[in-house]
Amino acid sequence: MERVAVLHPSSIIAELKRNNFTHVVWLPDSETNFMYHQLTADPDVTLVPVCREGETMAIAAGLWVGGKKPVALIQNTGIFESGDSIRGLGLDVNQPLVMLVGYRGWDKHGITTDSAARFIEHILHAWGINYYLVETDEHAPRISMAAEEAERTSKPVAVLIGTEFGA
Amino acid sequence: MIKNVDAVRIIDEHRGEAVIVTTMGAGNQSFGLPAVTHRQELDLPVAGAMGKASSVALGLALAVPDRKVFVLDGDGSLVMNLGTLTTISNMAPENLYHFVFENGVYAVTGGQPIPAAGKLSFQGMAMEAGYAASFEFDDTEELATNIDSVLKEKGPVLVCLRTAPEIENTPVQFREKTSRTMRMAIEEVSTAVRA
């Protein structure tokens, strides 16, 4: 069965601009790859590519200290790799970081067999990190909700991108 | 070999308005940053995530391109986060100066050798990764004589300092702690660089 694109890059990028994000610190993944070309072409947002996701929160911390407003864009597998950075440079220092997280393996219509999907929400719960799920253009305003919550609580907040379609 | 405090003192004397971001061991009271520098409001010790001081420094350098940012990294810290060399090279901040204190060991955990100690070249790796320039010093006098010219180079610049190991072997919970927490440092540095 052909799957229909329901989440478009323009919806997410519009949310990033609405919230005045200045930098997207990211490691490419299949769930969020569809945004790459638009992000690189957008003069209002600077893309900071990393080699491994643990760098992401640290670079974001530096940008934040310097007065910028970064957002992290990684896959759920990268959240597992980033544990020490999220703990030490997110939670411990009250960084109001929004983390857009590709939800690899998640399937609301079937059985989720991918451990990256099965564990991610448990891990976020364990850290006390709240999260929102975005699957369609209609859900995109949840990014604004996450941004507001991150600022209000001075904590990282995650947005799980539950689709890899939509180019 | 260079002593840690001598290296930090020389770097501090030439910092001007630069922010100094430091890795774990540099926060040690006896041989680290708090004992030496004179612009505490611009010192940002990164104690929270192993090996990530250079990544924090990169973010800060991108945020404040008109101000120099120094990172005082350890060799053990850098090999934990070696991809940072290519991440920094790719973003190419002209204001970032990456000092690596190479003593060959994990000094804060008892002095165990780092992987490939004595075999690898941080200066070489930086250049191959695409840093704009890199230097290596193993003598205090040589560092003092050349630091002005090093800091005239456009970044990213890596400066490898061959230092004598100063071993800490006390469990973390029993070590003397600085009264200035990382949150306090973030607040102060953030205020200073935005002024």
Side-chain angles (χ1 to χ4, degrees), chain A residues 59-134:
Chain A
I59 293 171
L63 286 161
W64 167 59
V65 171
K68 302 300 181 184
K69 190 172 179 182
V71 61
L73 179 57
I74 60 176
Q75 195 182 54
N76 49 1
T77 50
I79 289 286
F80 304 127
E81 197 275 339
S82 304
D84 197 33
S85 295
I86 292 172
R87 178 197 61 79
L89 293 170
L91 295 166
D92 281 1
V93 301
N94 298 118
Q95 186 186 171
L97 177 65
V98 173
M99 301 184 294
L100 304 180
V101 180
Y103 202 164
R104 193 191 90 172
W106 190 80
D107 187 351
K108 67 181 176 183
H109 301 296
I111 298 170
T112 298
T113 56
D114 188 336
S115 62
R118 286 194 287 114
F119 294 144
I120 186 63
E121 295 189 45
H122 296 293
I123 290 289
L124 294 172
H125 283 300
W127 279 329
I129 294 176
N130 197 21
Y131 58 91
Y132 297 83
L133 178 63
V134 169

Side-chain angles (χ1 to χ4, degrees), chain A residues 23 46-51 54-55 58-59 61-68 84-85 87-89 91-94, chain B residues 44 46 48-50 52 55-56 58-60 62-64 81 83-84 86-87 90-91 182-183 186 189-190 193-194:
Chain A
H23 294 74
T46 301
L47 205 56
V48 184
V50 299
C51 298
E55 295 173 67
I59 293 171
L63 286 161
W64 167 59
V65 171
K68 302 300 181 184
D84 197 33
S85 295
R87 178 197 61 79
L89 293 170
L91 295 166
D92 281 1
V93 301
N94 298 118
Chain B
L44 182 58
V46 175
M50 290 198 298
K52 298 300 190 302
S55 303
V56 174
L58 170 61
L60 188 54
L62 295 173
V64 292
N81 186 22
T84 191
T86 50
T87 302
N90 181 55
M91 297 308 293
M182 192 173 167
R183 282 190 202 175
I186 284 174
V189 172
S190 189
V193 300
R194 298 184 201 193

Side-chain angles (χ1 to χ4, degrees), chain B residues 56-76:
Chain B
V56 174
L58 170 61
L60 188 54
L62 295 173
V64 292
D66 295 330
R67 182 188 293 264
K68 281 186 165 67
V69 175
F70 298 170
V71 54
L72 310 190
D73 212 352
D75 51 0

